[in-house]
Amino acid sequence: MPKNKGKGGKNRKRGKNEADDEKRELIFKEDGQEYAQVLRMLGNGRCEAMCIDGTKRLCHIRGKMHKKVWIAAGDIILVGLRDYQDDKADVILKYMPDEARLLKAYGELPENTRLNEGIAGGIDEEDDGAADDYIEFEDEDIDKI
């Protein structure tokens, strides 16, 4: 049986829960970057995100964030746009919920962006209300069935 020569196993790679990003400085976008909201996670370190400019992009989570920063649907992220591929981008940063609220207050995110919901939506979608969700039947219609 081979001898273990490493310094530990899976639990060592996980490390401690470092809470060094509690009070970090708010990072705004620069040229070549865009804010986006995650629509769904695709696996393999990738996600589908709707950028604020209205483009749906396939985003790749960079290795520094992979398995350290957990990204879920509905999160606000900062993506780096690619010069050679407009439909793909790279996730640079995930904003905490309070940072996303600050971005919205500063006017960086549009007003119709929904922040604290698990499912993304509302960047370019118009909400007509709950009238479209339900169909009301009259008693006569039920009798015909």
Side-chain angles (χ1 to χ4, degrees):
M1 207 157 139
K3 224 177 202 183
N4 292 334
K5 295 182 180 175
K7 293 186 173 74
K10 183 172 27 171
N11 291 333
R12 183 183 176 278
K13 289 178 189 170
R14 276 192 201 148
K16 297 186 192 99
N17 189 6
E18 303 267 338
D20 57 346
D21 56 353
E22 281 180 17
K23 290 288 182 184
R24 65 180 184 195
E25 187 178 331
L26 188 62
I27 298 172
F28 294 104
K29 72 172 183 175
E30 298 172 5
D31 54 337
Q33 297 176 349
E34 192 64 64
Y35 300 113
Q37 188 169 26
V38 178
L39 295 176
R40 61 188 177 134
M41 295 302 295
L42 301 174
N44 199 18
R46 296 177 304 151
C47 65
E48 187 178 47
M50 177 64 81
C51 293
I52 300 303
D53 60 4
T55 310
K56 192 182 289 188
R57 290 188 170 95
L58 180 72
C59 299
H60 178 263
I61 301 171
R62 58 187 290 205
K64 188 176 180 180
M65 298 176 64
H66 189 68
K67 288 194 176 180
K68 291 176 180 66
V69 179
W70 288 102
I71 297 176
D75 287 343
I76 302 295
I77 55 175
L78 180 67
V79 296
L81 304 177
R82 296 182 180 181
D83 297 333
Y84 50 93
Q85 289 176 313
D86 192 43
D87 59 333
K88 292 188 180 178
D90 301 299
V91 178
I92 297 173
L93 178 75
K94 176 196 166 192
Y95 290 106
M96 300 295 158
D98 56 330
E99 293 173 331
R101 281 191 289 274
L102 280 173
L103 282 175
K104 194 170 181 180
Y106 288 144
E108 294 283 324
L109 298 176
E111 288 298 318
N112 58 352
T113 305
R114 298 182 197 162
L115 296 180
N116 44 2
E117 294 184 9
I119 44 175
I123 292 179
D124 281 325
E125 298 173 8
E126 291 293 324
D127 233 1
D128 296 330
D132 298 336
D133 295 343
Y134 299 104
I135 302 171
E136 292 189 22
F137 291 103
E138 299 290 327
D139 291 334
E140 302 162 1
D141 297 335
I142 296 174
D143 292 338
K144 290 178 184 175
I145 297 175

